[in-house]
Amino acid sequence: MRKTRKVCCKLLLCTVCLICIFHILLTVDVNMTKRNDEILHYPQAGMLMNNISLFRNILAGKEMKNLSLPSPLTEFQKFYNNHNAVDKKVVMYGQSKRDQGYLTIGIPTVKRRLNGDHYMYTTLNSLISNTDQGRIQDVIIVIFMADPDESWNNESAKKIYEEFKPHFDSGFMQIIKAPENIYPDFSNLQKTKQDSAERVQWRSKQNVDFAFLMLYCQNLSTYYIQLEDDVLVASNFVKDIESFVLNRTDHWICLEFSTLGFIGKMFHSSDLRVISSVLLTYFSETPCDLLLGGIIKFLGQNTPIHSSVSLFQHIGKISSLRNKMMPSIDRFFKDKGSNILPIMKLPKGGHPDAKFETNMKIIPDYPPENVYKNNLFFWASYPRSKQYFRLIFTKNINMSRLVISTGENINKTDFLENGVIKVGFNNKQNICNDLKEIGRFVEGEFDSLIQGIVIPENIKCLHIEAKKGQKRWLIIREIEIFQNKKYKKYFFRIMLMYNKRLRKNLSETSTLLNKLKLPIFHAVS
């Protein structure tokens, strides 16, 4: 009887243990499933990660040589699986083989409107002057000519090579291009994120470009950092990066040396294949910065890791996306000093006679008329919603371009955070009451040419309005108005020449532009 009781007790104990073990396993499985769901529906990234095995491989640190890319990227798949075989076709200028260094700097570049291509030269000169001679052997700059226009790529690459030839010969710089056939057809992509078809195409190509650049750079050095082609570089930036890395004792996937976009994001080169895989797999679904946020969090870095100061400053205003302006600056830039950034310098127009009006609270000694005077500005305290700053012209005018800049010109404080531009046409009693909105400010800046805004004719009134109240004061620094009577007469003829792109007409067009000196075609510096 006792033996029977002992056996029953043992069986009961075993049963309880098995139930407990099963419950633990079930709980772990449920929690893992929940964890996967949290990652796969990471709200900031907004990704639909259907290929769970892909992320298991990422978490395991596998190379994913057999990753299956979306069908539009069939040709890229071949490059992805055996990219070393096409290195000779990829490198345009520079040494394709060199000893592994400490840092690779990747810079994708494409054609920009309004002569925005000149940004690249400023960026490269800044990198050269701020890289210590003793560290040049540890750094390689890879410039990726990524424009769909092959002729532009070839011509621009040649000019860059000729300008910086000693640095290409030494191995400090390289220029690469992608095989033309690796790109999918971007014209038939599904719209996501409530973006226009044009923006979906633009950001989808950007994902493919970034993935290509990362794959090429994955074996060149220990670390990889990506820049844009319109930045300034801080002094001793390599030393600062090295010190920041050495002081890290925690796990990291990405270190951030700028607060803006994809600028200054640094990775272990060993992680580039993983990151590029995700960019390619979801190239048409989600912008690269949101994808990157999801990847970083998935791989175990829960919060961004920023350096105390930024080592890269954005200086461009003209985006590669048509009619998009990007006047952002990094207020934490290490070497901001007292110099006015190129992005804050405006092309000079005219100042037609006008009467100034405002219902904002004016700071003494900073009246509205200051916007027409060099080195002075209008200043108001805490503008409220629907308050305005207005010019009523003595005579109705036609504008070919309108440029307005708000905020202090070094640190860009006190800019108009949420504002619109309106114009009025009523010529009775000099009253501005027939208003039509023509555009919005972007981070306190407005440029009708860059933003692709057509300004109506016969304008009597220019009206700047705050759409929301703000907790900062407001500086309106400059208003530049371009008028040209010859502009309309020749505009159609000039645009026809450009659209046809006939070589025989290029010299004629250039001569005509120089003769007219039309501000609509002047570069934005």
Side-chain angles (χ1 to χ4, degrees), residues 259-412:
T259 61
L260 303 177
F262 221 91
I263 298 173
K265 302 298 184 282
M266 192 173 91
F267 313 94
H268 299 273
S269 293
S270 57
D271 288 335
L272 293 181
R273 195 166 181 84
V274 165
I275 296 168
S276 65
S277 301
V278 178
L279 292 177
L280 290 171
T281 303
Y282 303 98
F283 80 100
S284 64
E285 296 179 23
T286 306
C288 56
D289 52 345
L290 298 185
L291 281 171
L292 180 62
I295 297 166
I296 292 171
K297 190 162 187 176
F298 189 92
L299 292 175
Q301 180 183 316
N302 293 321
T303 57
I305 302 174
H306 295 277
S307 57
S308 58
V309 293
S310 295
L311 302 181
F312 307 98
Q313 177 64 281
H314 182 240
I315 60 168
K317 185 179 285 187
I318 307 165
S319 173
S320 56
L321 178 61
R322 187 169 61 92
N323 298 337
K324 181 183 179 184
M325 185 165 66
M326 287 290 293
S328 306
I329 66 168
D330 195 323
R331 295 176 179 82
F332 301 98
F333 183 54
K334 172 185 172 183
D335 295 339
K336 61 182 179 180
S338 59
N339 296 323
I340 299 174
L341 291 170
I343 198 172
M344 303 303 290
K345 297 177 182 178
L346 302 187
K348 296 302 179 183
H351 299 132
D353 290 341
K355 181 177 74 172
F356 295 85
E357 293 182 353
T358 184
N359 60 357
M360 298 180 185
K361 186 177 180 180
I362 302 172
I363 304 300
D365 300 324
Y366 294 93
E369 293 78 10
N370 278 3
V371 300
Y372 267 15
K373 300 175 183 179
N374 291 331
N375 303 318
L376 296 175
F377 51 84
F378 165 74
W379 207 0
S381 61
Y382 308 115
R384 300 192 303 273
S385 176
K386 296 187 178 182
Q387 285 192 324
Y388 63 83
F389 178 98
R390 182 181 291 168
L391 283 74
I392 300 177
F393 300 110
T394 304
K395 297 180 180 179
N396 288 34
I397 66 171
N398 295 327
M399 301 184 198
S400 57
R401 182 181 185 182
L402 173 63
V403 184
I404 303 174
S405 187
T406 73
E408 188 261 342
N409 61 4
I410 295 176
N411 298 311
K412 205 175 180 180

Side-chain angles (χ1 to χ4, degrees), residues 50-105:
N50 298 318
N51 190 352
I52 296 176
S53 63
L54 165 67
F55 280 83
R56 286 177 178 164
N57 286 339
I58 290 176
L59 201 59
K62 295 183 180 179
E63 293 186 0
M64 301 185 297
K65 291 182 179 179
N66 298 318
L67 177 71
S68 178
L69 298 179
S71 56
L73 294 172
T74 301
E75 292 301 321
F76 204 121
Q77 181 83 61
K78 299 174 184 177
F79 172 84
Y80 182 91
N81 290 335
N82 190 24
H83 77 283
N84 289 323
V86 295
D87 272 359
K88 293 181 180 178
K89 296 180 181 179
V90 166
V91 178
M92 300 177 72
Y93 295 99
Q95 301 176 13
S96 60
K97 301 295 181 183
R98 55 167 280 176
D99 295 337
Q100 190 177 59
Y102 177 77
L103 180 67
T104 297
I105 300 170

Side-chain angles (χ1 to χ4, degrees), residues 112-125:
R112 298 176 191 248
R113 298 167 60 241
L114 307 175
N115 199 30
D117 308 335
H118 73 281
Y119 293 145
M120 173 60 83
Y121 293 87
T122 303
T123 299
L124 293 178
N125 279 315

Side-chain angles (χ1 to χ4, degrees), residues 20-284:
C20 290
I21 291 171
F22 179 76
H23 177 73
I24 291 170
L25 290 174
L26 182 62
T27 303
V28 169
D29 184 62
V30 168
N31 288 336
M32 287 297 290
T33 302
K34 288 181 179 179
R35 173 63 177 158
N36 279 341
D37 286 342
E38 289 174 4
I39 293 168
L40 301 184
H41 294 89
Y42 180 52
Q44 186 179 352
M47 297 179 293
L48 299 176
M49 303 304 192
N50 298 318
N51 190 352
I52 296 176
S53 63
L54 165 67
F55 280 83
R56 286 177 178 164
N57 286 339
I58 290 176
L59 201 59
K62 295 183 180 179
E63 293 186 0
M64 301 185 297
K65 291 182 179 179
N66 298 318
L67 177 71
S68 178
L69 298 179
S71 56
L73 294 172
T74 301
E75 292 301 321
F76 204 121
Q77 181 83 61
K78 299 174 184 177
F79 172 84
Y80 182 91
N81 290 335
N82 190 24
H83 77 283
N84 289 323
V86 295
D87 272 359
K88 293 181 180 178
K89 296 180 181 179
V90 166
V91 178
M92 300 177 72
Y93 295 99
Q95 301 176 13
S96 60
K97 301 295 181 183
R98 55 167 280 176
D99 295 337
Q100 190 177 59
Y102 177 77
L103 180 67
T104 297
I105 300 170
I107 308 176
T109 185
V110 295
K111 180 167 49 178
R112 298 176 191 248
R113 298 167 60 241
L114 307 175
N115 199 30
D117 308 335
H118 73 281
Y119 293 145
M120 173 60 83
Y121 293 87
T122 303
T123 299
L124 293 178
N125 279 315
S126 183
L127 282 166
I128 292 166
S129 61
N130 289 293
T131 303
D132 294 337
Q133 288 297 316
R135 301 307 306 268
I136 283 181
Q137 293 301 317
D138 298 325
V139 178
I140 179 170
I141 300 168
V142 179
I143 304 160
F144 174 30
M145 310 304 296
D147 199 83
D149 185 344
E150 191 67 18
S151 297
W152 181 88
N153 288 338
N154 293 332
E155 292 171 8
S156 300
K158 184 179 179 182
K159 290 178 181 177
I160 293 171
Y161 171 71
E162 291 173 347
E163 180 72 18
F164 302 99
K165 186 176 184 300
H167 299 290
F168 285 96
D169 295 343
S170 69
F172 183 45
M173 291 184 182
Q174 288 185 23
I175 297 179
I176 65 171
K177 66 177 181 179
E180 294 182 50
N181 63 342
I182 69 168
Y183 287 101
D185 180 4
F186 292 108
S187 63
N188 195 30
L189 298 176
Q190 183 177 357
K191 293 182 182 181
T192 59
K193 308 298 177 189
Q194 298 181 334
D195 285 342
S196 66
E198 183 179 19
R199 187 175 180 84
V200 169
Q201 292 175 27
W202 175 75
R203 61 173 170 77
S204 297
K205 183 182 181 301
Q206 193 174 65
N207 280 339
V208 178
D209 287 341
F210 288 5
F212 177 89
L213 180 57
M214 289 179 177
L215 284 171
Y216 176 81
C217 294
Q218 63 180 318
N219 297 317
L220 297 181
S221 59
T222 305
Y223 301 107
Y224 171 84
I225 194 165
Q226 187 152 314
L227 302 182
E228 292 182 3
D229 60 0
D230 54 356
V231 299
L232 291 178
V233 182
S235 56
N236 300 313
F237 75 99
V238 178
K239 182 180 178 181
D240 289 347
I241 289 173
E242 193 170 37
S243 297
F244 191 72
V245 171
L246 288 174
N247 289 329
R248 301 306 308 176
T249 57
D250 53 346
H251 169 72
W252 64 270
I253 299 299
C254 176
L255 301 180
E256 303 186 24
F257 296 96
S258 168
T259 61
L260 303 177
F262 221 91
I263 298 173
K265 302 298 184 282
M266 192 173 91
F267 313 94
H268 299 273
S269 293
S270 57
D271 288 335
L272 293 181
R273 195 166 181 84
V274 165
I275 296 168
S276 65
S277 301
V278 178
L279 292 177
L280 290 171
T281 303
Y282 303 98
F283 80 100
S284 64

Side-chain angles (χ1 to χ4, degrees), residues 459-493:
I459 292 171
K460 180 66 177 177
C461 170
L462 180 64
H463 178 96
I464 299 171
E465 183 179 309
K467 294 299 288 183
K468 291 183 179 180
Q470 61 186 59
K471 296 180 180 179
R472 300 179 183 179
W473 289 9
L474 170 64
I475 289 174
I476 299 180
R477 195 175 69 255
E478 290 184 68
I479 297 178
E480 301 294 340
I481 296 170
F482 295 87
Q483 296 174 272
N484 199 309
K485 295 179 180 179
K486 297 178 182 178
Y487 167 73
K488 292 182 184 177
K489 180 178 178 181
Y490 293 101
F491 178 73
F492 179 76
R493 180 180 168 194

